Amino acid sequence: MTFYKPFLVAFMFVCSTNVLAADAREELESFLDQTNSMKAAFTQSLEDHLGIQLQASSGTFVLKRPGRFLWDYQTPYAQKIISNGEKVWIYDSELEQVSIKKFNQVLTGAPVMLLDQRKKLEVDFVVTEHGFHNGQHWLLLQPRTSENDFKEIRIGMLDNKLKTMKLVDNFDQTTTLVFSQLEINPQLENAMFEFIPPSGTDVVGDY
């Protein structure tokens, strides 16, 4: 029932095989620069420092720059994380509870903001090419400041698109997100990034 927690910890926080690994950073920056919105299915897993899986979930992800996103967890439990750029709603339908947080307090400097900005990677990260394995070219991003809940982000790139994100926190736990059915720049209405709690929902946090 707490599948949003790896998101808050990790997110509070593309290349084809015939492209040289040295170009992976340019491919990622090009992808981020040209992406105004995106939709995808995802799987998410959390492993401890020994590689033992602690949690697993899946759902859909929608992003619209700037600041709007929707993580819709569908298995094993239904949960939603929604942002309109000002507020973030974390809704658990089974508990009938929604937590409301201010966007800047939750996500400033978080890895998810990597998908929401166009500045060069080197501004916030030390960037290292991380080779080719599992059919993807990889980049290693290490935060330039120590005031983070994570130590590194590993990004896998496939066919000029984001495929995998691995986020290692300060407890050496790894959150892995794998994207599929990725759509770039779909038309999205702002209304889908607003949330009205159902009648009877317990509301906690900022209004």
Side-chain angles (χ1 to χ4, degrees), residues 74-182:
Q74 297 162 1
T75 62
Y77 304 106
Q79 292 181 324
K80 296 180 186 291
I81 305 171
I82 307 163
S83 170
N84 66 0
E86 297 179 357
K87 292 183 179 181
V88 177
W89 293 269
I90 303 167
Y91 175 59
D92 189 313
S93 59
E94 186 168 334
L95 293 179
E96 296 185 322
Q97 182 180 84
V98 60
S99 297
I100 307 174
K101 301 177 183 293
K102 293 181 180 179
F103 180 88
N104 289 338
Q105 292 179 344
V106 175
L107 294 173
T108 298
V112 71
M113 299 308 294
L114 176 68
L115 303 179
D116 195 55
Q117 62 190 10
R118 287 183 169 84
K119 60 184 176 181
K120 293 294 184 180
L121 297 173
E122 289 85 353
V123 174
D124 295 323
F125 302 99
V126 176
V127 183
T128 306
E129 301 290 346
H130 208 51
F132 178 82
H133 51 92
N134 294 332
Q136 301 170 61
H137 288 280
W138 292 83
L139 288 178
L140 173 64
L141 307 181
Q142 296 170 299
R144 291 190 178 276
T145 66
S146 58
E147 298 177 358
N148 294 283
D149 292 323
F150 62 95
K151 298 193 298 186
E152 64 181 45
I153 308 172
R154 283 170 271 164
I155 297 181
M157 329 279 275
L158 176 66
D159 295 332
N160 300 314
K161 295 180 180 179
L162 176 68
K163 179 63 177 178
T164 306
M165 296 182 72
K166 290 180 175 286
L167 303 111
V168 182
D169 66 24
N170 291 322
F171 298 97
D172 289 322
Q173 293 184 327
T174 300
T175 298
T176 301
L177 288 154
V178 179
F179 299 97
S180 61
Q181 304 173 42
L182 184 63

Side-chain angles (χ1 to χ4, degrees), residues 33-44:
D33 186 61
Q34 296 174 21
T35 299
N36 297 309
S37 62
M38 60 183 288
K39 295 174 63 176
F42 73 88
T43 60
Q44 176 178 311

Side-chain angles (χ1 to χ4, degrees), residues 34-66:
Q34 296 174 21
T35 299
N36 297 309
S37 62
M38 60 183 288
K39 295 174 63 176
F42 73 88
T43 60
Q44 176 178 311
S45 64
L46 175 67
E47 297 179 346
D48 66 13
H49 67 288
L50 297 176
I52 298 174
Q53 187 175 90
L54 304 177
Q55 294 180 356
S57 55
S58 63
T60 58
F61 169 63
V62 185
L63 172 77
K64 182 178 181 180
R65 290 173 163 179

